[in-house]
Each structure stands twice: as structure tokens, then as C-alpha cells.
Amino acid sequence: ISFTTSLAIMVLSGTKNQKYIEKVKKSIEYLKSIQNKDGGFGYYKDSRSDLSATEQVTLGLDSGYEFLKLNKKDEVWIKLNSYLKENQNVDGGFGYTKEYNRNSYGSMTLAGLICQMITQMDLSSVPVKNTLNWISQNYALEKNPKADSEKHYPYYLNKLATGLHLSGLDSITDDKGNVHFWYKEIVEKLLKEQKPDGTWEAKWYEPILCTEFYIMILQLKQLEEKVIDIF
């Protein structure tokens, strides 16, 4: 299954332990074997491509390639780039699949940005400029913009932080011309909402999953001393 295999690659690669080289190699080869003809990935072999599964696999492959010191120039990356370009909407955003929930919305547009950054698209390229423009025009911290449900809000906030972190941008300007230092804003929001036991809660999410998404955000950058003192 693409999600769990990708997660396993990230965990094993993150240890930097050379005894896992063969396991990571085999896992990468498995993911390559289930890549669809359109360049995307589904949740399992022969399932339709969707951007959520594709982003997870892209993260896994990226970790594995870094661990094995491989260049991201082979066919799997070429096909991934084609998938991203084919599935980007005219407004610059991304939806879930071509067939279902195609309209652009926050979490999937950020997943698109993450994939663009990992597949080494340049910030000056037209596709990335269009993605960042969509994110700027729809910047929000309290909701998953343009989504038809609040169900995936913690996932969205995680992707917002991850995507903008990978882009290297310290700030983003919204549709009203307001400049947002996004990481500071997100961290302040998370600290205000954290429960006394250290966890977070959100509708539709188990506390452990919600907390995992938010801890990942806090690990993206080194926190200022005054922020660390709050913990």
C-alpha cells in the first residue's frame, strides 16, 4: 500500500542506519512498480491516481533517494512532473483527482506545491508561480480554503506549513495586501490551542493524529527561545 510503504521509507531513512539500505531500496522499487501511467499514484496498485496519495509517495521517495544518495532524474520523477502539470487547474490550484473533487482547494493545492518543490521545480517556473499565487489569494489559518468540508483542517494546516517551508518563503501576502509571516502565525495559533496534557483536538480527528500533524509543524524550524520557554 502506497501510504504505509512511503511512511516506512521515511522512518527507516530518517534513522540514517546503513542496515536499512536494502529495505529502502526494495520499498522504492515497489513504489515505482505501482506508479500509474499518468505519473501519479493511488492508494494501492491499479487504483486511480489522486494528489493525496501522490504527495505521500513523493515524500517517501524523496526521503529514500536522499538516504541512498540518488539523483532525482530517473523516470519516476519525470512522470511525476508530468502528472503535476497535467492536473494543475487553470486558476493555479489543485483538486483531489480529475474525476472527483477537481476544483482547487487548500489542502490539495498545498500538496501540489510540496510535490512541485520535491520534484525540483523552480520558484520562477510558471506552474509554481501559479500555485503560490493561488495560495496567496486564498491564504487562511482558520479553515481549509475552498474545501467542501472542514473534515481535513489539521491535514491542511500541516500541508500549509510544509509547503511554504519547502518553498523557502518566510512570508506570504494575501489578497488584501496583508503580509503574513506564516510560521510565526501558525505556531502562535497552535500554542494557544494546545491542551494542558500537550495534545490537540479537532473535529473528525483522533487527538493522536491531530497532535502528530501539529508536532510535525513545530519541528519544521528552530523555535525562538521565547517560544520554547512556553512549553
Side-chain angles (χ1 to χ4, degrees), residues 17 54 61-62 81 101 103 121 137 164 172 186 198 201 225 229-231:
N17 192 323
T54 298
L61 289 173
D62 182 54
N81 262 304
N101 216 356
N103 293 335
M121 287 192 192
Q137 295 301 304
L164 292 177
I172 193 166
I186 293 174
E201 293 180 354
E225 289 186 6
D229 289 341
I230 298 176
F231 284 93

Side-chain angles (χ1 to χ4, degrees), residues 3-191:
F3 253 76
T4 51
T5 301
S6 300
L7 183 59
I9 292 174
M10 286 187 274
V11 171
L12 296 178
S13 298
T15 68
K16 302 186 186 304
N17 192 323
Q18 299 301 296
K19 73 178 183 180
Y20 296 126
I21 285 178
E22 290 305 315
K23 289 183 180 294
V24 171
K25 282 182 178 178
K26 289 180 180 179
S27 296
I28 287 175
E29 289 306 312
Y30 169 74
L31 291 178
K32 287 182 178 181
S33 75
I34 65 170
Q35 187 176 27
N36 291 323
K37 291 181 179 180
D38 64 3
F41 290 85
Y43 295 105
Y44 49 86
K45 184 177 175 60
D46 295 327
S47 63
R48 70 179 182 188
S49 298
D50 70 73
L51 194 53
S52 180
T54 298
E55 183 242 359
Q56 181 72 8
V57 172
T58 301
L59 288 167
L61 289 173
D62 182 54
S63 295
Y65 270 57
E66 181 179 352
F67 177 56
L68 300 175
K69 296 180 172 59
L70 301 174
N71 290 322
K72 293 186 286 189
K73 295 181 179 180
D74 56 10
E75 187 178 6
V76 67
W77 298 101
I78 295 171
K79 291 169 68 177
L80 268 170
N81 262 304
S82 295
Y83 174 80
L84 295 172
K85 291 176 180 177
E86 179 65 26
N87 284 269
Q88 187 167 25
N89 292 325
V90 176
D91 62 5
F94 288 86
Y96 183 60
T97 71
K98 281 186 176 181
E99 302 82 12
Y100 174 73
N101 216 356
R102 174 66 192 255
N103 293 335
S104 301
Y105 62 102
S107 52
M108 285 301 95
T109 300
L110 269 303
L113 177 64
I114 291 169
C115 291
Q116 288 174 330
M117 293 295 95
I118 291 175
T119 57
Q120 300 177 320
M121 287 192 192
D122 193 88
L123 283 180
S124 63
S125 70
V126 173
V128 176
K129 281 184 175 181
N130 290 340
T131 305
L132 288 170
N133 182 65
W134 192 98
I135 295 167
S136 296
Q137 295 301 304
N138 296 277
Y139 179 80
L141 289 186
E142 303 301 329
K143 62 179 181 179
N144 185 357
K146 305 290 186 180
D148 57 8
S149 168
E150 61 182 288
K151 185 176 181 179
H152 299 299
Y153 173 73
Y155 176 84
Y156 160 72
L157 199 63
N158 177 278
K159 298 310 170 188
L160 177 65
T162 303
L164 292 177
H165 175 64
L166 289 174
S167 76
L169 297 175
D170 292 325
S171 64
I172 193 166
T173 304
D174 65 23
D175 60 340
K176 296 179 181 178
N178 299 313
V179 177
H180 298 271
F181 291 92
W182 58 268
Y183 191 68
K184 180 177 182 292
E185 291 182 358
I186 293 174
V187 169
E188 288 178 347
K189 172 180 171 60
L190 293 182
L191 293 178

